[in-house]
Amino acid sequence: MATTTRERPAVLNLTHAAEARIAALMARAPEGTIGVKLSTPRRGCSGLAYSVDYVAEANPMDERIDTPGGAFFVDGASVLYLIGSTMDWVEDDFTAGFVFENPNAKGACGCGESFTV
């Protein structure tokens, strides 16, 4: 009996704009920075928020995505909340920031600061 395996879904898909922003962040990162990391700490009205920060050392539990501009990490504890999500960088006349399309999110607060799964 043959065993079949299916391809593991991507933890997170990065748009070209998000990859370009990661490259820009890495170009001016503090000394000792090895990459940029996404996590979903508990905060806000709905419970979870997106947080992007510099990281100085790798955690073996984190998912690593190699981008043209440097390493991007996804917090191991956040992976289940993010599987299949897309991360984009959006700028307009009034704001600039990472934007997430998350198929796992069941709701978000009115201000867009946090989400729930």
Side-chain angles (χ1 to χ4, degrees):
M1 184 187 276
T3 303
T4 59
T5 57
R6 64 186 172 112
E7 191 172 319
R8 205 170 111 182
V11 171
L12 185 74
N13 300 299
L14 300 169
T15 66
H16 292 297
E19 287 183 347
R21 182 60 181 174
I22 291 165
L25 288 169
M26 289 302 294
R28 63 174 188 267
E31 190 173 330
T33 298
I34 64 162
V36 176
K37 182 176 181 176
L38 171 65
S39 60
T40 55
R42 296 200 173 280
R43 72 169 182 244
C45 314
S46 295
L48 297 170
Y50 300 104
S51 180
V52 180
D53 301 290
Y54 289 116
V55 64
E57 66 184 70
N59 178 334
M61 298 303 289
D62 294 345
E63 291 284 329
R64 180 186 174 127
I65 300 170
D66 291 311
T67 74
F72 184 77
F73 297 90
V74 178
D75 176 62
S78 301
V79 167
L80 289 176
Y81 306 131
L82 297 169
I83 291 175
S85 295
T86 298
M87 180 174 153
D88 194 9
W89 175 260
V90 177
E91 291 184 44
D92 63 25
D93 290 341
F94 303 103
T95 62
F98 287 111
V99 176
F100 299 87
E101 184 179 311
N102 186 343
N104 307 298
K106 302 295 182 229
C109 65
C111 65
E113 180 72 24
S114 61
F115 70 100
T116 186
V117 290

